[in-house]
Amino acid sequence: MAGPVMGKFFLQKEISGNTRDVFEDILEERRVSSDLLCAMKSFAPVIYQNLTPCHPSALKTIVMESDNLQQAIRQISVESGEPFSVIQKQASRILDEMGHNLKLGAIRLFALSLSKIFKRLYSKVFVNLEGIQRLGKAIQEHPVVLMPSHRSYVDFLLISYIMFIYDLAIPVIAAGEDLSRMKFVGPFLRMSGAFYIRRTFHGDKLYWAVFSEYVTTMLRSGYAPIEFFIEGQRSRTGKTIHPKLGLLNVVAEPFFRGEVYDLYLVPISISYEKILEESFHVQELLGAQKSKESTSGLIKARKLLKDNFGNIHIYIGHPVSLRSMASGIINRSQYNLTPRHSFQRPSEDVLKFISETAYKLELQQIANMVLSPGDLIATILLQNLPVLNYNLLVEKIYWLRNLTEEFGGCLDWPENKSIDEVVQSSVSLHSNIMAIVDSQIILLEHNITEDMTEEMVTKQAFTFLIGASYRNKMINIIIRPALVVLACRTAQSFQKDDIHRSFCFMRNLFSKECILLDGYEEQDFEEGCLLLAKFNAISRTPYEIFITENNSVAQFLYGMLYSILEGYQLACTYVKQNIAESFTEKQYIAGARSFVLEQILKGATKCYDALSSDLLRNTLASFGQLGIVKAKKLSSGTFFSPDAKSVIQAIATLEVSSRKFPASRL
């Protein structure tokens, strides 16, 4: 492993990064010993305060008989006019549909199956041993909530498998209700610890009451760690999705109400060298309908067992004490005045605290992500399309490896191989999108010289967006200095105040593309400037900032954000052309994608990023946040209308000044 202490630019006092923990390959022993013996080993994990594990049926009885749920049922009965017994039966059905049915026998079968599958799919699965030790200690002290990053369906399986291997309590996992409908798989996952919840509750008070009581009962009792994905869904782009706050608010409530002394939140970073579902993700980004989870689909996916997906790194972060986080910020006495079963919205200070906590946990996840050589290759290749000389690539990889480490990135770099061997191995792993041909590395489908067709553009976008999903893992590492470089290119002068204003605008505009904390604009700007000055990319006076001409670091950072900038420019142009119209998000994404496709076919742009529904959705959200479009909620949905003056102003602001415009290639 290479890489210094991570996270030094992520709120240094509050967020610690990867400190060269020792990683262990959990598949190493599995390759030389019996999987069956491993699955049938003695398993008696230590749990919170040495409690006796509660049977799932007993847990349901506790929930149904709880004063809180009974009071909620009475209130709903009065409000709806339905008899208490009817609402009670509805609550019981909801709990039956939701609840886990954790059984050790299923866990053993689960472990046996996964040992064999993981050995087929992955070269190595690394886990940081210090994280395992910290987690084991935390589980005994206070209720624990595990919060992994979410890039693949494999995430659901990995954490439980690791907990079994290391004799830690098996977590109960919040999973989407759609998974429960998969024949055989749904019940098996339920027996492996999954509890199923709806994607949205749509103001269903009874469902919310059952759900919140079920989760808080498990937390108060401490029978098992709870696991959920704070991003709410898999990231299809390699970028971290902004957090969903509902579940975090629910798990924090027992602490706020004084029902538990403390609660540990454990961020977990799962880094894949190659994502199992990368092709499906990109198909969705290009407009294909998301396939419904089904057992038949899982059976068809067995052909993936023939492929190799490289290494996985699981970094179990430091447990975050909710008590310490809330100290001096949250007045918990306010909860004594509110009945537990009431359906009141949390106070503004609680909502702000939950939001800040969620973003800090995501920054912890990001700080401990492990980059692979393939991520660096994709990053360089996408800045040098359509082809790059192989020897030059090797040279640039060496340069970028050092820069990544200097910027605080953690890199999995084989120490016993030459750079040439590492590059060859990584290109082979990603042979579905890149290849070495005649001493050049190419992105597949991009070395075409004939006239473009829509089908060819789609093929090019497909390989580009897969590559971009690995490039995007670099975004949060470089975002601060990259925004300063971009601000220098778009500001009206060299004046520091102008550049700072441009920085703040770009930071707000691109806020959906990365994870940054509100209120830290000054710190982010200064940190970006300090890093650039370290590499002589800028020179500063008290009142001016100048980009160093032909500086390789500045050019690389500009290239990292250029395709995003161009995507937002294209989106602005599309909105301007439809200035008199109102549209839904769905109409906007379809129309903007058609517009970008038309521009690519004309040869006016090569911005394949702008064909992604993720980037287009982000542009609309940012435009709404900045007042470039106005949102109006109607009974038929939310409609957006462009604000003509703001659109024109945004287009002007996004223009790059030619007086100091660098090449956008590394």
Side-chain angles (χ1 to χ4, degrees), residues 222-240:
Y223 294 127
I226 289 179
E227 177 186 337
F228 71 90
F229 301 102
I230 196 165
E231 295 171 86
Q233 60 178 318
R234 287 170 297 150
S235 169
R236 273 73 169 167
T237 63
K239 294 177 285 190
T240 298

Side-chain angles (χ1 to χ4, degrees), residues 162-423:
I162 289 167
M163 301 289 270
F164 179 79
I165 292 294
Y166 287 103
D167 291 310
L168 298 174
I170 302 298
V172 291
I173 310 166
E177 191 180 42
D178 42 3
L179 289 174
S180 70
R181 292 187 283 270
M182 294 175 67
K183 289 183 180 179
F184 308 115
V185 175
F188 180 67
L189 290 177
R190 194 188 295 272
M191 289 189 289
S192 301
F195 66 95
Y196 296 110
I197 59 175
R198 297 174 187 170
R199 295 291 181 185
T200 57
F201 296 173
H202 293 300
D204 188 330
K205 289 184 177 181
L206 182 60
Y207 192 91
W208 175 259
V210 174
F211 163 70
S212 59
E213 186 61 27
Y214 183 65
V215 172
T216 53
T217 298
M218 289 191 288
L219 276 172
R220 287 196 303 268
S221 306
Y223 294 127
I226 289 179
E227 177 186 337
F228 71 90
F229 301 102
I230 196 165
E231 295 171 86
Q233 60 178 318
R234 287 170 297 150
S235 169
R236 273 73 169 167
T237 63
K239 294 177 285 190
T240 298
I241 300 173
H242 284 235
K244 305 297 185 291
L245 306 180
L247 255 173
L248 182 57
N249 192 42
V250 170
V251 300
E253 192 165 300
F255 166 73
F256 290 150
R257 291 187 177 277
E259 296 168 347
V260 296
Y261 179 79
D262 199 357
L263 185 72
Y264 281 142
L265 307 173
V266 182
I268 300 176
S269 308
I270 306 177
S271 308
Y272 294 91
E273 192 170 7
K274 185 176 182 181
I275 299 287
L276 194 70
E277 310 98 313
E278 60 179 14
S279 295
F280 300 109
H281 287 174
V282 170
Q283 287 170 9
E284 290 177 33
L285 292 175
L286 291 174
Q289 194 71 25
K290 179 181 179 290
S291 300
K292 288 186 177 181
E293 287 81 4
S294 66
T295 305
S296 60
L298 187 64
I299 293 171
K300 291 176 184 176
R302 70 186 186 278
K303 63 182 181 181
L304 292 173
L305 293 174
K306 299 176 183 177
D307 297 331
N308 179 264
F309 291 86
N311 298 336
I312 305 176
H313 284 79
I314 300 99
Y315 186 95
I316 299 171
H318 290 264
V320 176
S321 163
L322 192 61
R323 187 179 188 86
S324 297
M325 292 278 285
S327 179
I329 299 175
I330 298 298
N331 178 13
R332 294 194 291 163
S333 63
Q334 62 184 288
Y335 279 84
N336 298 329
L337 306 175
T338 308
R340 173 75 168 74
H341 63 274
S342 67
F343 302 105
Q344 293 184 7
R345 175 183 169 87
S347 63
E348 288 303 316
D349 62 328
V350 169
L351 289 174
K352 182 181 178 184
F353 170 76
I354 290 293
S355 177
E356 288 185 354
T357 300
Y359 277 96
K360 288 174 182 177
L361 288 165
E362 286 201 336
L363 286 172
Q364 283 274 24
Q365 291 177 345
I366 292 166
N368 292 313
M369 288 290 189
V370 176
L371 297 168
S372 68
D375 301 331
L376 306 192
I377 294 171
T379 298
I380 292 169
L381 185 54
L382 295 192
Q383 288 196 31
N384 292 273
L385 293 176
V387 299
L388 179 65
N389 177 271
Y390 177 77
N391 290 331
L392 186 56
L393 170 73
V394 171
E395 196 177 298
K396 290 176 182 293
I397 286 290
Y398 182 79
W399 178 87
L400 184 55
R401 183 185 73 173
N402 293 335
L403 184 72
T404 300
E405 293 175 354
E406 289 288 341
F407 273 31
C410 182
L411 191 58
D412 175 26
W413 195 274
E415 296 179 352
N416 57 344
K417 292 184 179 180
S418 67
I419 289 187
D420 182 63
E421 289 176 310
V422 172
V423 171

Side-chain angles (χ1 to χ4, degrees), residues 537-578:
I538 61 170
S539 56
R540 292 196 287 178
T541 72
Y543 304 105
E544 292 179 312
I545 299 176
F546 302 92
I547 288 283
T548 305
E549 189 175 355
N550 297 323
N551 180 272
S552 57
V553 173
Q555 290 178 345
F556 166 70
L557 295 174
Y558 181 79
M560 281 292 291
L561 292 188
Y562 180 73
S563 62
I564 297 176
L565 173 66
E566 189 176 6
Y568 278 67
Q569 289 172 332
L570 288 164
C572 263
T573 303
Y574 169 73
V575 170
K576 182 183 177 184
Q577 290 185 1
N578 295 272

Side-chain angles (χ1 to χ4, degrees), residues 576-644:
K576 182 183 177 184
Q577 290 185 1
N578 295 272
I579 207 79
E581 299 179 16
S582 62
F583 40 75
T584 64
E585 181 187 87
K586 185 176 180 181
Q587 291 168 338
Y588 168 80
I589 290 174
R593 182 184 282 123
S594 296
F595 170 73
V596 173
L597 177 61
E598 181 184 335
Q599 298 305 304
I600 293 175
L601 288 170
K602 286 180 179 177
T605 183
K606 289 282 189 182
C607 188
Y608 299 100
D609 273 306
L611 292 171
S612 163
S613 57
D614 178 78
L615 185 132
L616 293 174
R617 192 175 292 110
N618 289 347
T619 61
L620 185 60
S622 290
F623 292 168
Q625 187 176 300
L626 296 172
I628 297 169
V629 298
K630 308 290 186 183
K632 187 175 183 180
K633 290 187 177 181
L634 303 174
S635 58
S636 55
T638 302
F639 287 80
F640 299 87
S641 301
D643 180 84

